[in-house]
Amino acid sequence: MTAAERQRDSRMDLATEPVELICRDGQVLGGQCWRPEGSEAGTVIVNNATGVLARYYARYAAFLARQGYCVLTYDYRGIGASRPSDLRHARMRWRDWGDYDFDAAVRWARQRDPLGLLVTVGHSIGGFLPGFAPAAVQVDRFLTVGAQYAYWRDYAADRRLRLACKWHLAMPALTALYGFFPGRRLGWLEDLPAGVAYEWAFRRARMELSYPRAERAETLARFAAVRAPILALSMSDDEFGTPAAIRRGLDYYRRSDRQRVQLRPRDLGLEKVGHFDPFHDRHCTGLWQASLQWIAEGRHPWTVDEHLPAEG
């Protein structure tokens, strides 16, 4: 074993505890609690990207735990440790991941530490879906990474056609054929419940218009109720998290102070980073270390590309 491999392994020897999150509708989710060895500086909830297992974020969770934070990682309903035995007949929507699943994560965190610092780190859809949750108002700060809800016109212009064909034509067609999206066998992320796949595929420019008329006002009100500051990070070579995509999502959090920061790979000493790489452990002494400033104190070392003050 090389020295680099031993170093990577040493980051993963932190003890974790399995947890069950009980959602308001009775759904049970599987997760992991990463506890620091000494006193706790606060709690961090990590929200996954669509079709990405919670274990993908394990090294980042371990890194945060070593800095003194209790960290919760968990799988949304229909995915990984929260996957039902019969995915074909599962009735799950994309928004349920925020409305019920993230809501349960916040309630779990507040039950164990009612007054301590609570921060959410959300990747891709995981940075947007908190607004669906009634309990989101209990979060003190949000850090989002490439956060958006995958409206196809926001994809990077030079890859828009390819991505639109893949996720908005092929994905719903395969979902209709199989009864769920068979992403794993295709090497396209994890399998997805049909409702999640269709909601992604047919997302409209105005998010609320994707839902029945009777749900729209309450949905917008929940997003507007969130007042915690948001730092929205993205990479210049992220084909999903373009400035337009990030801004479209941030506009719903109109009563939060929002800072949008776009980093270039060379800012991190790299040739490329993209949408998924920020959670690889090669960032532990750079991007991850800088993220601690925001988690702990609400400040960061980067130049702000766009500042959206809280309304009202």
Side-chain angles (χ1 to χ4, degrees):
M1 179 182 291
T2 67
E5 288 171 335
R6 284 195 296 273
Q7 183 180 22
R8 285 197 295 270
D9 286 348
S10 71
R11 295 192 190 109
M12 296 301 294
D13 63 6
L14 197 72
T16 67
E17 301 174 7
V19 299
E20 287 190 342
L21 306 180
I22 311 299
C23 301
R24 299 192 322 275
D25 63 349
Q27 181 77 34
V28 179
L29 309 177
Q32 292 285 327
C33 175
W34 306 71
R35 296 184 185 275
E37 295 180 356
S39 59
E40 294 182 9
T43 303
V44 178
I45 299 171
V46 178
N47 281 347
N48 316 333
T50 301
V52 178
L53 299 176
R55 67 174 182 240
Y56 183 77
Y57 305 93
R59 285 187 168 84
Y60 183 62
F63 167 81
L64 293 177
R66 294 189 188 285
Q67 315 307 313
Y69 293 93
C70 173
V71 184
L72 173 66
T73 59
Y74 67 104
D75 284 307
Y76 306 129
R77 62 186 63 199
I79 303 292
S82 305
R83 176 173 175 151
S85 58
D86 182 9
L87 191 61
R88 182 172 286 105
H89 296 99
R91 297 292 179 262
M92 300 172 179
R93 298 188 300 176
W94 210 11
R95 68 166 294 170
D96 292 341
W97 291 355
D99 190 350
Y100 295 108
D101 300 359
F102 177 67
D103 186 77
V106 174
R107 290 189 290 105
W108 176 89
R110 279 303 181 210
Q111 183 174 9
R112 65 177 300 278
D113 189 0
L115 301 177
L117 176 68
L118 177 57
V119 179
T120 295
V121 176
H123 182 208
S124 197
I125 191 63
F128 178 74
L129 60 78
F132 289 109
V137 296
Q138 300 181 49
V139 177
D140 296 307
R141 247 186 314 279
F142 291 92
L143 171 63
T144 70
V145 181
Q148 33 66 50
Y149 58 79
Y151 177 56
W152 72 273
R153 288 186 183 275
D154 292 334
Y155 296 149
D158 60 339
R159 282 162 277 185
R160 187 176 299 145
L161 179 60
R162 176 177 60 83
L163 292 173
C165 289
K166 181 176 182 178
W167 299 115
H168 302 271
L169 293 177
M171 181 170 66
L174 290 167
T175 300
L177 179 64
Y178 286 93
F180 66 96
F181 176 60
R184 184 182 298 174
R185 72 182 66 181
L186 296 170
W188 296 5
L189 307 178
E190 291 294 310
D191 298 341
L192 296 176
V196 173
Y198 288 141
E199 194 170 331
W200 177 357
F202 303 127
R203 174 71 77 186
R204 300 173 69 175
R206 289 293 305 173
M207 173 273 296
E208 69 275 15
L209 298 182
S210 302
Y211 304 111
R213 187 180 300 274
E215 298 179 8
R216 295 174 188 172
E218 181 181 359
T219 296
L220 292 175
R222 286 187 184 179
F223 277 82
V226 177
R227 295 178 180 270
I230 301 172
L231 172 60
L233 294 181
S234 64
M235 299 304 306
S236 62
D237 62 341
D238 183 344
E239 59 190 6
F240 294 100
T242 63
I246 304 297
R247 176 63 186 270
R248 189 182 299 276
L250 288 176
D251 282 346
Y252 287 93
Y253 290 92
R254 59 188 183 84
R255 290 184 178 169
S256 292
D257 187 83
R258 296 147 290 171
Q259 299 179 53
R260 185 179 65 79
V261 172
Q262 185 180 69
L263 302 176
R264 298 164 298 181
R266 66 173 178 266
D267 296 333
L268 305 176
L270 300 169
E271 292 185 3
K272 60 181 181 179
V273 178
H275 190 62
F276 294 100
D277 192 76
F279 292 94
H280 287 189
D281 60 357
R282 62 173 170 167
H283 295 285
C284 65
T285 59
L287 184 64
W288 292 5
Q289 196 68 41
S291 75
L292 283 173
Q293 296 182 37
W294 178 259
I295 290 171
E297 303 174 25
R299 60 185 181 88
H300 61 84
W302 301 298
T303 299
V304 175
D305 292 284
E306 186 176 16
H307 180 213
L308 303 171
E311 300 176 13

